Amino acid sequence: MDWNLLYSEKEPPSWEQIAEYINDPLWTVFNQRIQSAYHCDPRLEYSRCSMQAGWNIKYKKSGRSLCTLYPMQGYFIALVVIGSRELTEAELLMPLCSDYVQTVFRNTKTGNGQKWLMLEVREEPIMRDVFTLINLRKPAALN
């Protein structure tokens, strides 16, 4: 069943229900790593956005978005917004990223000087690339 149909706006899922739905060890690794590196807590929010409606998990540091995570069955999507300040550096880093991340980056249109990258985290190399991109937005205190 689709994530956005499982839990209404008035009935948020528990952290355990989210992990059970995703059912991928990368979920736990990702969340532990981002919380440890950036000393921030996840914030569960409901979105009516047509791109990915339903409950999602946001990470912010110093008022700045690091990423938004969208639960999917068997994996999760990480939205990383590359702003105008980070765009040139992200372009320079792309040859070091996985083919998948390079393709998403290349195919994502730039609007208002930003790229909104919706990255399906299904493998360790993609997760590493997501952290590389997050580090452009806010370098981690600890890596």
Side-chain angles (χ1 to χ4, degrees):
M1 180 177 258
D2 284 342
W3 177 251
N4 64 336
L5 301 175
L6 282 175
Y7 303 97
S8 73
E9 184 176 358
K10 294 178 177 143
E11 183 187 343
S14 68
W15 195 253
E16 292 78 22
Q17 289 169 317
I18 295 169
E20 183 179 303
Y21 182 81
I22 295 170
N23 193 29
D24 184 333
L26 289 177
W27 173 252
T28 302
V29 172
F30 187 95
N31 284 282
Q32 288 172 344
R33 182 172 172 193
I34 196 166
Q35 289 174 42
S36 172
Y38 294 99
H39 307 287
C40 60
D41 293 320
R43 212 169 73 215
L44 189 62
E45 291 187 6
Y46 188 84
S47 173
R48 290 187 185 89
C49 175
S50 60
M51 280 179 59
Q52 204 68 38
W55 289 96
N56 59 57
I57 297 85
K58 293 187 185 281
Y59 281 100
K60 291 183 178 185
K61 183 68 177 179
S62 303
R64 201 150 187 237
S65 173
L66 298 175
C67 67
T68 302
L69 306 178
Y70 300 94
M72 306 298 288
Q73 222 162 8
Y75 66 100
F76 61 97
I77 295 172
L79 166 64
V80 180
V81 179
I82 303 299
S84 57
R85 292 186 286 187
E86 302 93 19
L87 198 52
T88 300
E89 195 171 353
E91 289 168 347
L92 293 172
L93 283 172
M94 275 306 116
L96 303 174
C97 291
S98 64
D99 290 341
Y100 166 73
V101 171
Q102 289 181 48
T103 300
V104 170
F105 187 86
R106 184 173 47 253
N107 293 337
T108 301
K109 293 181 182 177
T110 303
N112 294 328
Q114 299 179 330
K115 282 188 180 263
W116 289 46
L117 304 176
M118 297 285 282
L119 300 164
E120 294 181 2
V121 180
R122 297 176 184 258
E123 303 168 348
E124 177 79 26
I126 296 167
M127 184 176 76
R128 283 194 306 265
D129 291 346
V130 168
F131 276 101
T132 298
L133 295 169
I134 290 171
N135 281 336
L136 293 177
R137 295 194 53 76
K138 179 77 175 170
L142 304 167
N143 279 323

